[in-house]
Amino acid sequence: MVSPNFDPVVVEQKIAQLALRDSEFAKRAETREQQRQIAKYGSVREYQFPPNTSQIHVTNWVHKKWLRPFRFMFRNMPRPLRKLVKRLSA
Amino acid sequence: MSQFVIATDAQGATLDDLTATHKSLVVSGSRKVTWLVVGAVPDAVKKLQRRFSFGRVRVVTEAVELSQIDLVVFLEAGDGLQRESLLVANEFLAAQPQVDLLYGDSGHPTDDKSEPFSFARRPGWSPERLRAHCYVGETLIARSDLVVNSGGLNDLVLRHPHDRALRLSENAKAVSRLAAVLTIAKSSDSRPSASLHAVVEHCQRQNIDADCELDASVPSVYVRRRLTKQPSVGVIVATRGTSAEVFGQERVLVVEAVRSLFEKSTYQNFHVVVVADTPTPATVIETLQNIGGARLQVLNYDRPFNFAEKNNLGAMSCESDLILLLNDDTEIITADALEVMVALFNDPQVGVVGPMLLFEDSTIQSAGHIFSPDPTDLYRARNPETSGPQNLLRVQREASSLIAACMLIRRDVFEEVGGLCLGFPGNWNDIDFCLKVQLAGYRAVFTPHAHLFHFESKTRIAKRVDAEVGKLGARWGSVLDDDPYFNPRLQRYTNIWKTDSTSKRSMNEALAI
């Protein structure tokens, strides 16, 4: 169970070994990723998350500002016409 | 073009069902199709044969010689293949010769004339989830040699879809999901079916020592592994000894987290290593030592904050079979949480296990992560009664990543992959770790049968550091862009995934309302 003789030197050695293993895995993952990116885009790109995808930034395309007048028009259309648009889009 | 045989269990099917299926086969993209109809009323078969004897589809009722056949499609009576779907599947399998079992999405009729179909968009291959329910759907495409090895066509076609999927998956070299609609189902219900009998037999065949229970309300099967061994668990709790108000009372978070573990947990083969920052009050440490006694060890951490390093330090300071990373702002809800999680390690391929975490108000804090591409807690702040699309939240399943607030890890796996990366001191270290574990060939499993509170602030948003994002992306960019346990045809809406539709129904489906 709990190491009876907790030796900070031994623990530090183990942590250093962990860091070494981590860097090996990182290298493996990075090589694989580079190969995938080259196959997909032809070059390695610098990775960034797309804007507005974090939890606080809710972006559903229907809420885009420029769509507001169109949504207004759509909502005020006669019902049969709205149904027709929906059916065509589906 | 491969030679296909379509196999349909026609027991109880009407002539209309069979006619509907037949019509779809004509436009399925194959020049010549053999349709094996088993168990149909003889009159119906005669009518079918008479009606369609000159078409592209040859209707047979007897066993088919599979030596001339490349692919077998299991199709329910009344369901129809999507136009050109055989062509698409054929191309996919030609490009992926190692794949011998394929499943895809399905369309289901609705009452809404403006949106005549809802679509079941299926996640990638998840063997743990298949034990719970037939999430792969009823339509499966298998290479003929796999069918022969799994009991033969005539045997498989008459089995329950869940049974059939389990048997085929047991012998498959590689199973894959095709993110395209392969079938239009007769049934409007897109929820996966489940067969307790099939899962019990599967566990026997696979030597899984477990009690299986059917939850008919969902439906799904809970495969509860028996604890044959009592592996030791080293619980690593990183803390500063902070206090906060929980359930209307001020409390020292770490004290209550550790107390709940000692007092509530039915699994007691653990010891606790508290990694305490220097400013941690001495009274807190004293209280912890009173609670834990000889089973609790306190380590002083006097360096700048690094969550990854604190956990690595704790993990390397004890010897145990398993390591539980536990935040100090947690509390056990289900007494057998640890037991449920430990038992999952009976499967040697499981490297990491995570439970369902709830906020103080009992809404979901995390049910695993989704990548889209930035990682998010799945169904965060949603009602825990939600079963999710395809009953996602009610079943044990593989996940791309789990939250480090409570994560049980096999020690040898932890050491093999190098623990948590020190380059991610605050964020993403759990994601990086889980992806390393999967790169090493192990699985990360989420279980909804173990519940803990995680008293994290609902409004806390992980701070993005561009350098960390770049580092995470350099390692795992393509996995982040395409989460294997979700479907590229789904779109993200806050912290859930739903079909790419603006209708209210798509939202209701995602929330399983």
Side-chain angles (χ1 to χ4, degrees):
Chain A
M1 292 283 269
V2 183
S3 311
N5 299 314
F6 167 66
D7 182 353
V9 178
V10 175
V11 172
E12 284 303 323
Q13 277 175 356
K14 285 184 177 176
I15 289 176
Q17 278 174 0
L18 278 187
L20 197 69
R21 293 292 298 152
D22 174 63
S23 61
E24 284 170 15
F25 262 82
K27 209 171 174 185
R28 232 172 105 184
E30 280 167 13
T31 310
R32 189 182 70 162
E33 186 57 32
Q34 282 169 6
Q35 285 168 351
R36 283 181 177 179
Q37 286 196 22
I38 288 166
K40 198 171 177 183
Y41 307 108
S43 64
V44 180
R45 62 195 176 132
E46 194 181 327
Y47 194 84
Q48 278 179 328
F49 288 143
N52 302 332
T53 57
S54 80
Q55 278 173 223
I56 40 170
H57 299 292
V58 180
T59 42
N60 195 332
W61 64 269
V62 289
H63 298 127
K64 296 229 169 176
K65 251 188 178 174
W66 63 268
L67 260 171
R68 291 185 76 118
F70 296 100
R71 287 174 61 203
F72 180 81
M73 271 169 58
F74 178 74
R75 283 181 176 170
N76 289 283
M77 272 181 193
R79 183 171 274 231
L81 208 58
R82 272 167 66 183
K83 280 196 164 179
L84 185 71
V85 171
K86 272 187 159 184
R87 196 169 303 154
L88 288 175
S89 65
Chain B
M1 181 79 179
S2 304
Q3 288 293 315
F4 285 91
V5 61
I6 316 293
T8 299
D9 173 9
Q11 291 177 100
T14 63
L15 185 60
D16 286 348
D17 289 339
L18 295 172
T19 307
T21 303
H22 172 268
K23 279 181 183 167
S24 79
L25 300 185
V26 177
V27 293
S28 60
S30 181
R31 272 182 180 279
K32 196 83 184 167
V33 169
T34 304
W35 185 21
L36 173 66
V37 182
V38 182
V41 180
D43 278 359
V45 175
K46 271 182 194 166
K47 279 183 188 166
L48 279 176
Q49 285 172 328
R50 210 177 304 140
R51 209 184 287 174
F52 305 124
S53 55
F54 300 108
R56 285 179 170 185
V57 182
R58 183 168 68 97
V59 183
V60 294
T61 55
E62 296 295 316
V64 180
E65 181 54 55
L66 285 179
S67 57
Q68 302 296 317
I69 300 293
D70 304 305
L71 297 167
V72 177
V73 182
F74 293 95
L75 186 65
E76 295 293 287
D79 292 1
L81 284 178
Q82 174 77 324
R83 184 178 282 266
E84 308 280 296
S85 57
L86 291 185
L87 212 59
V88 175
N90 184 55
E91 278 173 17
F92 183 89
L93 288 167
Q96 312 265 350
Q98 78 284 7
V99 174
D100 50 4
L101 183 60
L102 186 68
Y103 62 94
D105 303 339
S106 58
H108 298 264
T110 68
D111 297 332
D112 187 351
K113 282 183 183 167
S114 62
E115 270 190 276
F117 295 104
S118 71
F119 294 98
R121 301 290 185 185
R122 301 199 159 86
W125 172 232
S126 180
E128 192 61 43
R129 187 167 177 183
L130 186 63
R131 285 184 197 112
H133 59 196
C134 189
Y135 85 93
V136 294
E138 279 73 29
T139 305
L140 293 175
I141 302 177
R143 293 194 193 273
S144 54
D145 49 351
L146 173 64
V147 173
V148 172
N149 294 340
S150 305
L153 184 52
N154 280 21
D155 175 56
L156 287 173
V157 71
L158 290 172
R159 292 193 178 273
H160 187 282
H162 196 186
D163 195 6
R164 187 189 304 143
L166 285 166
R167 283 170 190 271
L168 285 166
S169 70
E170 286 162 20
N171 297 298
K173 285 186 223 107
V175 186
S176 188
R177 177 268 325 265
L178 180 59
V181 175
L182 294 182
T183 43
I184 298 297
K186 180 190 169 194
S187 165
S188 59
D189 189 358
S190 63
R191 290 177 308 165
S193 60
S195 163
L196 177 63
H197 182 66
V199 178
V200 170
E201 284 190 351
H202 163 77
C203 289
Q204 285 166 357
R205 288 194 300 273
Q206 297 293 297
N207 295 322
I208 298 172
D209 189 10
D211 295 314
C212 301
E213 298 160 23
L214 181 70
D215 179 356
S217 67
V218 182
S220 71
V221 179
Y222 173 23
V223 179
R224 192 190 170 105
R225 266 95 168 166
R226 293 193 196 102
L227 266 178
T228 45
K229 287 182 248 167
Q230 298 270 322
S232 59
V233 179
V235 184
I236 316 302
V237 188
T239 187
R240 287 175 73 86
T242 44
S243 301
E245 193 179 294
V246 176
F247 300 130
Q249 285 185 330
E250 195 73 6
R251 59 156 73 173
V252 180
L253 294 168
V254 66
V255 168
E256 298 311 317
V258 171
R259 197 197 304 278
S260 83
L261 207 59
F262 277 98
E263 291 181 359
K264 282 191 193 167
S265 179
T266 52
Y267 190 83
Q268 286 292 322
N269 190 16
F270 66 84
H271 59 269
V272 178
V273 178
V274 177
V275 185
D277 284 324
T278 308
T280 307
T283 49
V284 171
I285 291 172
E286 200 179 312
T287 315
L288 287 170
Q289 280 167 337
N290 287 340
I291 295 169
R295 289 166 63 200
L296 187 138
Q297 180 187 8
V298 180
L299 298 178
N300 185 34
Y301 183 81
D302 56 3
R303 298 176 206 174
F305 175 79
N306 187 323
F307 179 82
E309 191 180 34
K310 283 174 91 173
N311 279 289
N312 284 356
L313 173 67
M316 292 301 103
S317 302
C318 64
E319 285 164 11
S320 58
D321 302 317
L322 303 171
I323 296 165
L324 177 69
L325 306 186
L326 190 70
N327 274 21
D328 64 352
D329 54 351
T330 55
E331 185 182 316
I332 278 189
I333 301 173
T334 48
D336 62 352
L338 209 49
E339 210 171 309
V340 167
M341 289 163 72
V342 169
L344 279 162
F345 288 96
N346 284 0
D347 183 341
Q349 279 189 325
V350 172
V352 191
V353 173
M356 172 77 92
L357 295 177
L358 303 181
F359 281 118
E360 184 184 351
D361 63 358
S362 291
T363 53
I364 296 171
Q365 193 273 323
S366 181
H369 286 135
I370 51 169
F371 304 152
S372 61
D374 60 341
T376 312
D377 295 310
L378 190 61
Y379 281 77
R380 186 183 168 98
R382 302 275 172 191
N383 184 348
E385 299 301 317
T386 302
S387 56
Q390 311 279 304
N391 298 325
L392 170 78
L393 298 174
R394 298 288 184 88
V395 293
Q396 283 179 167
R397 59 185 163 81
E398 280 78 6
S400 299
S401 165
L402 302 162
I403 186 167
C406 181
M407 185 195 268
L408 190 62
I409 310 153
R410 198 188 291 277
R411 175 174 286 275
D412 52 357
V413 174
F414 187 87
E415 290 176 0
E416 184 184 336
V417 303
L420 301 187
C421 175
L422 304 184
F424 298 106
N427 297 322
W428 323 121
N429 40 48
D430 43 8
I431 290 133
D432 176 70
F433 177 77
C434 285
L435 292 173
K436 280 195 294 180
V437 167
Q438 287 165 78
L439 183 62
Y442 301 95
R443 295 176 2 237
V445 174
F446 162 80
T447 175
H449 305 296
H451 287 199
L452 278 91
F453 280 121
H454 183 200
F455 303 117
E456 188 187 61
S457 166
K458 262 189 186 180
T459 52
R460 179 192 171 272
I461 301 297
K463 211 175 176 183
R464 276 189 195 176
V465 180
D466 284 346
E468 284 183 2
V469 173
K471 191 172 182 174
L472 191 71
R475 290 183 178 192
W476 315 108
S478 43
V479 188
L480 296 173
D481 287 342
D482 183 15
D483 188 327
Y485 295 109
F486 280 87
N487 190 302
R489 304 291 176 119
L490 291 172
Q491 68 167 14
R492 167 142 172 216
Y493 184 85
T494 64
N495 43 21
I496 62 173
W497 288 52
K498 67 182 195 68
T499 48
D500 188 6
S501 159
T502 53
S503 69
K504 195 178 175 192
R505 204 190 56 237
S506 69
M507 196 64 176
N508 291 347
E509 280 170 0
L511 294 171
I513 294 171

